[in-house]
Amino acid sequence: MSLITDYGFVLLLLACLFGFFMAWGVGANDVANAMGTSVGSRALTIKQAIVVAMVFEFCGAYLAGGQVTETIKSGIVDASLISPELMVLGMMSALLAAGTWLLIASMKGWPVSTTHSIVGAVIGFAAVGISMDAVKWSGVGPIVASWVVSPVLSGVVAFGLFMSVQKLIIDTDSPFKNAKRFVPLYMFLTGFMVAVMTLSKGLKHIGLNLSSNQSLLLAVGVGTLVMLLGIAILSRIHVDEEADKAFHFSSVEKVFAVLMIFTACSMAFAHGSNDVANAVGPLAAIVGVIQSGGEAVGAKAALPSWVLLLGAVGIVIGLATYGYKVIATIGKEITELTPSRGFAAELATATTVVGASAIGLPVSTTHTLVGAVLGVGIARGIGALNLGVIGSIFMSWIITLPVGAALSILFFLVLKGIFA
């Protein structure tokens, strides 16, 4: 226990620094992906997207981030096989490794998965630094499966949503009139879906325990409120016959641009609720061990709210300072996006990510969003997709996990050499 007794404060300070660095990387890389569809479809400018993301990422991370954090904290590594000292040094090296890889990827403009980065890093230090038995391979299985399931699932949902838009609105005799009729229903769905997941799963750590019926009623209220707000904004939009001459659905897309503001908010909230875990999960494990004096390696300590706050602030600063580098890739280079297509992709992504957060599964927002954009592209035919860009995105996904693991092993050995 001497390491934690002698260097407890220094280790905690370094862990907070590394956790903040990792959260900055999440903001710079992953949040930029999440906002890419809004910017690519020209529903929001880059500045507006950053403001929306800053507010709703923070709320999602702080209010609904607790569930997934538990999976990263104790679902991947068998704490009973790891000494407190090695747990602290290992989780610190995982944060530093994942943060470093995200910094490199963001500088290059590559959209990579922060979930891959941190999971690979945690597996790397545990497998090499302790033993192969220290990794809970049964816990890793569902995470790996989610990397395939989440893009496929969000792709299917996005495909279905976009086909419903085509059937109800675009392929009708009066698309503008039908857009004004049906878009408020999509707004209700957006508000309801995010609210029901947040209320039923995410607010326990701030002391708000609601029953299923209470959560459902409140979610219906939130959905209705969002819908009424949307109707008020839509009432100001009128047919622009001049613009419709150049592009038949110009006025319809203006209606969807309003809807995209709502889906961008839900997307940012969903991303914050899931991906804050990548930064604060390992940090929560370190804080638990140090605060208990090395006694509570496997204990289920309550997640301190300041840890979630640190992660939320880091994400926001990362987006504001460096997010513009990656934001264009998904929004402009996979397939041509309009507000109606971007809406389908964003709502499908938010649904998949918030659903995954609710069951504690750390899915990759990048994978989920790319799957959704592909789903929308496929609805228009395979020729609408830029297969070269898709190929390079897939390649960056494949190398992320091994790079995260390798960097984690390197930093683990360095930290062990300094402190042990």
Side-chain angles (χ1 to χ4, degrees):
M1 297 300 161
S2 61
L3 178 73
I4 289 166
T5 312
D6 297 345
Y7 299 108
F9 182 70
V10 177
L11 289 169
L12 186 60
L13 217 57
L14 280 174
C16 288
L17 195 66
F18 295 167
F20 185 84
F21 177 49
M22 171 64 190
W24 179 92
V26 173
N29 197 289
D30 240 26
V31 181
N33 295 337
M35 288 290 106
T37 41
S38 303
V39 177
S41 64
R42 292 182 287 281
L44 296 173
T45 64
I46 284 194
K47 281 184 182 174
Q48 288 168 336
I50 287 172
V51 171
V52 164
M54 282 165 71
V55 174
F56 286 90
E57 287 279 341
F58 183 89
C59 293
Y62 189 64
L63 296 175
Q67 191 85 7
V68 180
T69 302
E70 197 59 50
T71 305
I72 299 275
K73 190 174 96 176
S74 54
I76 300 169
V77 179
D78 187 348
S80 63
L81 298 177
I82 302 175
S83 68
E85 289 93 339
L86 290 184
M87 174 65 105
V88 169
L89 295 179
M91 287 296 187
M92 280 170 66
S93 61
L95 284 171
L96 192 54
T100 302
W101 172 238
L102 287 174
L103 173 63
I104 294 164
S106 299
M107 286 170 71
K108 297 280 188 187
W110 296 335
V112 297
S113 167
T114 54
T115 313
H116 268 195
S117 307
I118 196 67
V119 170
V122 171
I123 291 170
F125 100 76
V128 175
I130 296 99
S131 76
M132 293 294 278
D133 295 334
V135 180
K136 285 187 185 173
W137 297 107
S138 61
V140 174
I143 295 168
V144 173
S146 80
W147 297 339
V148 178
V149 172
S150 58
V152 170
L153 188 62
S154 68
V156 169
V157 175
F159 181 86
L161 276 170
F162 186 62
M163 292 310 282
S164 76
V165 168
Q166 284 202 307
K167 198 169 182 62
L168 295 172
I169 298 166
I170 292 170
D171 295 341
T172 61
D173 293 333
S174 50
F176 182 76
K177 193 175 160 188
N178 284 328
K180 280 200 158 187
R181 182 186 299 166
F182 290 111
V183 162
L185 296 176
Y186 290 123
M187 288 174 175
F188 173 81
L189 186 65
T190 304
F192 174 79
M193 180 272 304
V194 175
V196 78
M197 292 299 184
T198 307
L199 293 167
S200 59
K201 292 287 182 183
L203 300 180
K204 292 180 176 66
H205 66 279
I206 59 167
L208 192 63
N209 288 302
L210 297 169
S211 69
S212 300
N213 287 341
Q214 285 172 324
S215 296
L216 207 61
L217 274 172
L218 209 51
V220 169
V222 171
T224 306
L225 204 64
V226 168
M227 182 173 72
L228 292 173
L229 182 63
I231 290 168
I233 297 168
L234 290 178
S235 66
R236 299 180 178 185
I237 296 174
H238 305 288
V239 173
D240 185 343
E241 289 178 3
E242 203 58 44
D244 282 353
K245 281 178 191 171
F247 174 52
H248 183 53
F249 298 109
S250 182
S251 298
V252 174
E253 293 296 353
K254 280 184 185 173
V255 176
F256 275 100
V258 174
L259 175 56
M260 272 209 81
I261 296 166
F262 291 96
T263 53
C265 295
S266 69
M267 180 67 225
F269 188 95
H271 179 267
S273 72
N274 192 279
D275 279 36
V276 71
N278 296 332
V280 304
L283 181 57
I286 295 165
V287 170
V289 173
I290 291 173
Q291 286 185 344
S292 68
E295 299 296 322
V297 179
K300 274 209 168 192
L303 181 70
S305 57
W306 68 264
V307 171
L308 274 175
L309 191 63
L310 182 83
V313 170
I315 283 176
V316 163
I317 292 174
L319 174 72
T321 54
Y322 222 73
Y324 65 92
K325 276 264 188 180
V326 185
I327 217 160
T329 307
I330 281 183
K332 294 178 182 173
E333 293 178 19
I334 296 176
T335 188
E336 188 192 343
L337 288 176
T338 60
S340 58
R341 295 167 198 157
F343 142 74
E346 275 191 0
L347 185 56
T349 306
T351 306
T352 307
V353 172
V354 176
S357 293
I359 56 171
L361 190 65
V363 298
S364 163
T365 315
T366 311
H367 287 203
T368 312
L369 186 66
V370 170
V373 174
L374 285 175
V376 171
I378 289 166
R380 297 168 56 224
I382 203 79
L385 299 172
N386 186 335
L387 298 177
V389 170
I390 294 162
S392 63
I393 289 172
F394 285 169
M395 275 305 296
S396 74
W397 292 358
I398 291 165
I399 62 168
T400 293
L401 196 138
V403 168
L407 285 171
S408 177
I409 292 159
L410 176 68
F411 290 133
F412 181 64
L413 296 173
V414 170
L415 287 172
K416 211 172 163 188
I418 293 169
F419 286 102

